[in-house]
Amino acid sequence: MGTRRNRSKFSTVAYLAAALISWSAAKADGLTLEIIKLRHAMASDILPLVQPLVAPGGTATGMHDQLIIKTTPENLAEIKNILAAFDRAPKTLKITVKQDVAQQSRIQENAMSGRFRSGNVSGRLPDPGSHDGASIGYRDRNGNAIRYRALNTQSSDDRRVSHFVTTVEGRPALIQTGQSLPYPYSSAVYDRRGVVVYDGIDYRDVSSGFYVTPRTHGQTVTLDIAPQLQRADPRDRGVIDTRSSSTTVSGRLGEWIPLGGANEAASGNDSALLARTRRQGSDIYGVWVKVEEVP
């Protein structure tokens, strides 16, 4: 701890000594040298903006919250006016990301099945589908039977996930929620004893959230943002549905800004003897973001 403090003191002394030397050189060159104490920003953040503005022959350096500007009096006044716009308290922002998923599926099935007998000839029409749905049938005294079945099902799954985080403009922020799901597994190893089976549990992280860096200019905000949405598929254990995007967008404070989305559609038909099945499905994913200034 003592060594670290001594290094900091040495850096400060060296910094002041360099400033005095630069001040003497500025006097000799007819330039003005001034140490400007920043109120909110750090020198490392401001110098890339100031250095290209310094007049020929001048310099701009800095350390911590102080700038050392050596330039002409006119140029120094211009730089101070520019600093007034950038050396301000950063805004505190609340960033909300909304991710919507809408899944729909529909199955239509029509099939006929039965058995018949005529003299020494008999036959059977198998039912290739399931036994769900509504059906009607007919049977006579000779053992002939026929059944007609119709199935029409429709399902939907709508999910709306919302996350928000509060951060300072210009600084990256991350928010993420989720859980670790256990997945049992088995593995076989061959050795001198034969086959040895080992059982274990593997954990997989399923998380949702977003990573963002906001910048504001007046009532306009620009975001570098990467949202992610994950969910364990309830129909297929071990499968994790993942949706994500990464983009840069601009919009007004307080308004919802669309980030993008995806729209998937699938359909298929299965045909057999006196049977037909039609399947349709859609998967819609949309993402929006809203940035609000926190007073």
Side-chain angles (χ1 to χ4, degrees), residues 6 9 16 61 92 99 120 137 227 234 243 290-291:
N6 291 335
K9 289 180 180 179
L16 294 176
T61 59
T92 300
Q99 303 184 72
N120 296 326
R243 297 170 175 84
K290 180 170 67 174
V291 182

Side-chain angles (χ1 to χ4, degrees), residues 15-288:
Y15 170 74
L16 294 176
L20 290 174
I21 295 173
S22 181
W23 179 78
S24 300
K27 295 289 287 184
D29 295 340
L31 302 176
T32 298
L33 184 139
E34 185 168 336
I35 298 177
I36 302 174
K37 185 175 179 60
L38 300 171
R39 295 179 299 170
H40 304 286
M42 299 299 292
S44 58
D45 297 327
I46 295 296
L47 278 174
L49 301 173
V50 172
Q51 286 172 337
L53 305 176
V54 177
T59 59
T61 59
M63 187 176 186
H64 304 312
D65 61 346
Q66 292 183 331
L67 294 177
I68 300 177
I69 309 295
K70 182 179 72 171
T71 185
T72 63
E74 296 80 8
N75 185 232
L76 181 60
E78 294 175 355
I79 291 176
K80 285 184 176 181
N81 289 333
I82 294 173
L83 284 177
F86 289 96
D87 185 22
R88 58 174 177 82
K91 295 179 181 178
T92 300
L93 305 172
K94 177 184 177 183
I95 304 171
T96 304
V97 172
K98 180 174 63 175
Q99 303 184 72
D100 292 352
V101 177
Q103 295 175 313
Q104 293 185 342
S105 63
R106 183 176 183 180
I107 299 177
Q108 293 177 299
E109 195 169 73
N110 297 276
M112 294 186 67
S113 61
R115 59 180 180 271
F116 62 90
R117 178 187 298 274
S118 177
N120 296 326
V121 179
S122 63
R124 185 170 182 268
L125 297 174
D127 187 349
S130 65
H131 294 283
D132 298 326
S135 64
I136 58 174
Y138 169 79
R139 182 192 301 270
D140 63 15
R141 291 177 298 179
N142 299 322
N144 298 315
I146 188 170
R147 184 170 74 103
Y148 170 76
R149 181 176 53 80
L151 174 66
N152 191 340
T153 63
Q154 186 169 346
S155 63
S156 63
D157 181 11
D158 294 335
R159 284 175 290 133
R160 293 175 173 84
V161 180
S162 180
H163 295 86
F164 72 88
V165 66
T166 301
T167 186
V168 175
E169 63 172 319
R171 304 298 181 186
L174 170 68
I175 183 170
Q176 202 167 47
T177 60
Q179 55 185 329
S180 293
L181 300 180
Y183 289 93
Y185 70 89
S186 298
S187 60
V189 178
Y190 295 88
D191 58 16
R192 293 176 300 175
R193 297 169 295 174
V195 179
V196 180
V197 178
Y198 295 94
D199 296 325
I201 297 178
D202 188 19
Y203 289 86
R204 299 183 186 179
D205 292 334
V206 180
S207 60
S208 299
F210 63 91
Y211 177 86
V212 63
T213 302
R215 296 181 298 275
T216 63
H217 180 70
Q219 290 299 306
T220 301
V221 61
T222 300
L223 300 166
D224 296 325
I225 188 167
Q228 175 178 282
L229 178 63
Q230 290 186 326
R231 187 187 73 152
D233 192 336
R235 299 164 300 180
D236 193 349
R237 182 171 177 80
V239 175
I240 298 176
D241 294 330
T242 301
R243 297 170 175 84
S244 62
S245 62
S246 179
T247 186
T248 299
V249 295
S250 294
R252 293 186 61 81
L253 290 172
E255 297 181 357
W256 285 106
I257 306 169
L259 297 184
N263 190 343
E264 299 180 16
S267 63
N269 294 291
D270 296 328
S271 297
L273 182 62
L274 299 181
R276 181 180 177 87
T277 302
R278 184 179 181 184
R279 297 180 178 87
Q280 293 176 310
S282 63
D283 190 335
I284 301 174
Y285 171 60
V287 193
W288 295 265

